Every structure is written in structure tokens, then in C-alpha cells.
């Protein structure tokens, strides 16, 4: 597998740099994991929150997402709508959103998570400054079934903000794209689980059995992906 490398180094570039980082700092584990409402008996676990302890890497993550967003917005038919504020999804997404906010010099906001059992429908509390009618880009660290992203979309829209796009560091490809599309929101992952696995397998970082089991799980649990998401 031939990989793009930074000039003068042996380090992968762009999205593959992120895949390499996740592996090097221990964000990728193999075993048998059941987490939350979506992940059941998964052979692979991704914990991108470890990036917050790597300040240089976190800053580079912000720069990488910035580069991809600006490219998507500059296309003749833009894949990302221009936005006024960045909305982080608590808790993990806030760290990535903060890095991106600093990189792009764009205001950061976030909606407080709704308390368990709260079905009041009241206007959510948004931390940070914004004006109704502005466009928000949602940012999270990991997308699986899309539940937290959907909740963020609904909260921001109830507060009068427009939401058309969501950027995530890693998409596990287990339903989030479909759920967001139903709300008129496009999901833009920096890295998908399939790309991560393919990279690690090609670099001979992981056991072939772990690779095969994870790919089988992904294809069983996954969803069709759009051209832009691949």
C-alpha cells in the first residue's frame, strides 16, 4: 500500500496522518465492546478523547479539519455551507470544536445536554454568543448511530440557528449519515472506520484476524456512504 508522506519525513499526510496518530497514542483497541445504544459486540473500539492530552496533535487536528472545510466550501457546488459559528457537541466534540474555533477564528457555542427525562420542549440553553438566523456547523469527535448529533441539531434549531452540516473526526459508519440526512444535514467525517482499518492493515500494524473481524462487523452494521464521505 503506497501512502502519501510529508516531504522529508516518513509521516503520512492528511487523513492518514490522523489514522497513524490514533494508532500511536492508543485510541484504537481490539476485543469485544458494547457501548451505548448502538455499539454491540464490536471487535474494535475507538477513543479519540485521548487526543486532548496531545496539544500539538490537537492543534494539527484543528488545522486538518479547517483545510478540508475550506476546500469543500470553495467548490463550484460547495459540499459545506458557510457558517457563522461552530457548535461543539459535549463532551468529546467540544475539544475538537475548540481546536477548530481557534484555527478558523470562528466563534464557538454549545448546547447544554438535556437532562434525563426532560421532555419539556423548552428552548435549550446555549452557551456562548449567537444570533437567531445564524448558521452553525456542528462538530463532534465520533459518530456512530448519530443520536448525539441529532440531539444537537434539534437543540440548535429550537434556538433559532440554521444547521446544514456536521463535521466529525471519525465516522464508525453505523447509521449517523442516514439519520442526519433525514434532517437535511450532511455529515463530513475526516476519517471513516473503513479507511482507518485499511490503513492499519496495509501498514501491518494490526493482526489480520482483527482486521477481518472488524471489516466483517463494519459491513454487517454499516450504511451506504455518499461519494463525498468515502
Amino acid at each position: 500500500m503506497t501512502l502519501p508522506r510529508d516531504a522529508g519525513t516518513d509521516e503520512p499526510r492528511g487523513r492518514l496522518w490522523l489514522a497513524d496518530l490514533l494508532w500511536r497514542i492508543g485510541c484504537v483497541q481490539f476485543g469485544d465492546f458494547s457501548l451505548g445504544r448502538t455499539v454491540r459486540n464490536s471487535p474494535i473500539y475507538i477513543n479519540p478523547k485521548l487526543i486532548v492530552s496531545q496539544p500539538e496533535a490537537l492543534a494539527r487536528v484543528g488545522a486538518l479539519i479547517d483545510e478540508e472545510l475550506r476546500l469543500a466550501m470553495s467548490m463550484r457546488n460547495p459540499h459545506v455551507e458557510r457558517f457563522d459559528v461552530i457548535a461543539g457537541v459535549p463532551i468529546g466534540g467540544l475539544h475538537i470544536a475548540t481546536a477548530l474555533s481557534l484555527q478558523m477564528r470562528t466563534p464557538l457555542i454549545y448546547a447544554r445536554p438535556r437532562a434525563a427525562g426532560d421532555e419539556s420542549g423548552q428552548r435549550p440553553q446555549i452557551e456562548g454568543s449567537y444570533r437567531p438566523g445564524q448558521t452553525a456547523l456542528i462538530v463532534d469527535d465520533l459518530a456512530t448511530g448519530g443520536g448525539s448529533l441529532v440531539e444537537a441539531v434539534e437543540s440548535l434549531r429550537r434556538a433559532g440557528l440554521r444547521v446544514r452540516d456536521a463535521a466529525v473526526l471519525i465516522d464508525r459508519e453505523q447509521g449517523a449519515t442516514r439519520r442526519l440526512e433525514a434532517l437535511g444535514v450532511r455529515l463530513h467525517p475526516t476519517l471513516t472506520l473503513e479507511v482507518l482499518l485499511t490503513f492499519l492493515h496495509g501498514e501491518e500494524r494490526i493482526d489480520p484476524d482483527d482486521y477481518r473481524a472488524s471489516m466483517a462487523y463494519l459491513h454487517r452494521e454499516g450504511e451506504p456512504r455518499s461519494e463525498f464521505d468515502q
Side-chain angles (χ1 to χ4, degrees):
M1 182 179 183
T2 302
L3 301 174
R5 307 277 179 175
D6 281 335
T9 76
D10 193 40
E11 188 174 85
R13 293 201 310 264
R15 299 181 183 205
L16 297 184
W17 165 81
L18 176 59
D20 181 66
L21 171 72
L22 293 169
W23 176 253
R24 285 190 287 106
I25 66 176
C27 299
V28 183
Q29 299 176 34
F30 293 93
D32 185 353
F33 305 95
S34 294
L35 305 164
R37 294 168 293 181
T38 307
V39 178
R40 292 286 183 271
N41 301 115
S42 170
I44 183 170
Y45 170 61
I46 312 292
N47 180 19
K49 294 176 180 60
L50 294 178
I51 295 174
V52 305
S53 298
Q54 309 285 330
E56 291 184 3
L58 183 59
R60 186 166 172 179
V61 164
L64 176 60
I65 300 174
D66 175 19
E67 179 182 343
E68 294 196 343
L69 289 172
R70 292 186 190 279
L71 176 61
M73 289 187 291
S74 68
M75 294 178 176
R76 178 172 297 180
N77 296 309
H79 290 291
V80 175
E81 185 172 312
R82 296 194 176 276
F83 48 90
D84 306 296
V85 295
I86 292 169
V89 178
I91 298 177
L94 268 179
H95 308 303
I96 305 302
T98 299
L100 182 61
S101 171
L102 292 169
Q103 173 69 28
M104 301 189 77
R105 300 295 190 267
T106 299
L108 175 70
I109 63 172
Y110 69 93
R112 285 193 176 184
R114 191 168 51 190
D118 179 9
E119 302 296 338
S120 63
Q122 294 180 351
R123 181 168 173 161
Q125 183 171 352
I126 307 294
E127 300 293 352
S129 299
Y130 71 96
R131 296 190 309 275
Q134 287 184 313
T135 297
L137 170 76
I138 291 180
V139 174
D140 206 351
D141 60 343
L142 183 69
T144 305
S148 60
L149 288 164
V150 168
E151 183 175 330
V153 171
E154 293 173 342
S155 294
L156 293 169
R157 285 178 172 172
R158 287 200 304 273
L161 288 155
R162 299 178 66 250
V163 182
R164 293 296 307 280
D165 298 281
V168 297
L169 203 57
I170 307 155
D171 179 14
R172 284 188 56 111
E173 304 172 277
Q174 290 181 250
T177 293
R178 284 197 305 266
R179 290 189 68 182
L180 290 172
E181 284 177 349
L183 296 176
V185 177
R186 296 165 292 201
L187 181 64
H188 308 291
T190 301
L191 194 66
T192 63
L193 183 56
E194 183 167 4
V195 169
L196 173 63
L197 287 167
T198 300
F199 168 78
L200 295 176
H201 176 64
E203 292 281 282
E204 299 182 347
R205 307 277 184 89
I206 59 177
D207 186 282
D209 289 340
D210 287 333
Y211 170 74
R212 285 190 289 269
S214 298
M215 290 295 285
Y217 175 85
L218 173 62
H219 293 153
R220 183 175 68 249
E221 302 290 333
E223 62 185 358
R225 294 175 296 284
S226 70
E227 179 180 351
F228 184 68
D229 289 332
Q230 291 178 348

